[in-house]
Amino acid sequence: MTTILQSSNECNRCLSYDEISAVIEQSYDGMLVIDDHSMVVFVNDSYCRIMNINKESILLQSFKDFWLTRPFSAAILDALKFKKSITRTHYDMVPGKVIMMTANPIFDREGKVRLVVGNCRDMSELAKLRKQLEKVQGDSESTGPIAVSDKMKNLLVSAQKVSSVDITVLITGESGVGKEVVAQYIHDHSLRKAAPFVAVNCGAIPENLLESEFFGYTGGAFTGANKAGKKGLFETANGGTLFLDEIGDLPFDLQVKLLRVLDTGKMTKVGDSIPTPVDVRILAATNKNMDVMVKNHKFREDLYYRLNVIKIYIPPLRDRPEDIRPLCIFFLNKCNQRYGQNKRINADVLKILEQYDWPGNVRQLRHAMERMVVLSNGDYLELSSLPPEIHSLSNFAGSDDLKETIVINRFISIPEAIAEVEKKILCSAMKNNSSSRAIAKITGIDQTTVLRKIKKYGL
């Protein structure tokens, strides 16, 4: 059997059946061909992979017999029967998979069906992305955190429990993990949700203005003061929630006054001598080790224990990689709305983003997605759209660094040889990756083992 390709090139020649088969075998999509008697005359490896079958079990067999035990109507048999193209999507035809089937009949000169060509494509990844996008689009209507990982789901359960009671909460975690988002979530699920949520970064206000910003001042309290006076943050948040971010940066003398407000429920404005009652719930957050600060007398012990009634720790993004993909989709959707775009993201890009260590956590991820949306060309975020610090990860898979020959030119024991090989591989992986999780992904060992071996070899 041969097929002739017409061309103006002098290299016209026939492609053999084996050559055509080899070309079709390169397709990622599955292909199966039946004749007019429904006998399978061709099937490629991709079809067998997608359908989870052996080629020998179906090739030159009746497709009707093969399909007999399945509860779905076969697109390829219907195309043969009705003499027209058929497309269907099947869910869980193969457990855990979403498969799209397309069948097209090929007619002879008399108009009879000679062959039917069936294509199948595994749509599971796309279906998964679509579900995540739908969930994230629903979540985008609220300010709640994205929680797919068990760690974040458990965190939100705890946050919801403490939201129902007026108790002081200390939220801890690295910079950029989303402490204010969790604080907002607690407020939004509390009885105070209709009242103000006021957030302040204690490290962003000049020290000489902190007291007046916190407690307000009376008219003429100091040079340059507003004659009518000014409300402070406590008075603004009255009835609601005051979120004190970076509480570890609060000056020592102001810590005393904050403790007094927490204990008495009253605060005194600058320039006033009469305390004013305030009804405010305090949520505080820090990325510092408060136990060490207390030990080093940089933070009042009594205030620390007053704030640390309930502690909620937000894990870094590298410890909850399941949240990276939905966060990417969430931020992509937000950026598309903000900048009037309709960009989509390539699945390969998502895989690279999942491998990155994200030292700046969710904040860094949000900025990376915004940068990619603004600077990328075309409708898709491709590998070329990745920020430089992340793009090196996508190049590493094809790097020759791990292909270097390791030469042992002296007699050593097998354990010593294994150590030499491990050290060489780790050194090569570390050239392009500072992330232990990315190194673990590339080298095929778990992250804990990577860290242990890096320490062992002094790398």
Side-chain angles (χ1 to χ4, degrees), residues 439-451:
I439 294 171
K441 186 89 172 177
I442 292 167
T443 56
I445 56 179
D446 62 77
Q447 186 179 13
T448 304
T449 304
V450 166
L451 294 171

Side-chain angles (χ1 to χ4, degrees), residues 86-102:
I86 303 287
T87 297
R88 291 197 181 99
T89 301
H90 297 293
Y91 297 85
D92 285 329
M93 178 173 63
V94 177
K97 288 186 179 181
V98 179
I99 299 174
M100 186 174 72
M101 314 282 290
T102 300

Side-chain angles (χ1 to χ4, degrees), residues 318 355-359 364 389-390 392-393 396 426-440 442 447 450-451 454:
R318 61 181 173 275
Q355 293 174 16
Y356 186 61
D357 212 29
W358 299 109
Q364 184 189 6
E389 68 273 16
I390 305 173
S392 61
L393 198 63
F396 192 73
L426 286 171
C427 284
S428 297
M430 290 171 68
K431 287 182 182 178
N432 293 307
N433 296 276
S434 59
S435 159
S436 59
R437 191 159 63 85
I439 294 171
I442 292 167
Q447 186 179 13
V450 166
L451 294 171
I454 286 174

Side-chain angles (χ1 to χ4, degrees), residues 217-251:
Y217 58 81
T218 59
F222 50 86
T223 304
N226 191 310
K227 291 182 180 180
K230 180 185 175 182
K231 280 185 177 183
L233 293 169
F234 272 89
E235 200 171 356
T236 302
N238 197 31
T241 302
L242 179 60
F243 173 56
L244 305 177
D245 198 7
E246 305 302 344
I247 189 70
D249 293 332
L250 198 65

Side-chain angles (χ1 to χ4, degrees), residues 64 66 69 129 234 240 300 310 356 372 438 455:
K64 286 183 179 178
F66 167 74
T69 58
L129 282 173
F234 272 89
R300 290 184 63 94
I310 296 288
Y356 186 61
M372 291 164 66
K455 184 177 180 181

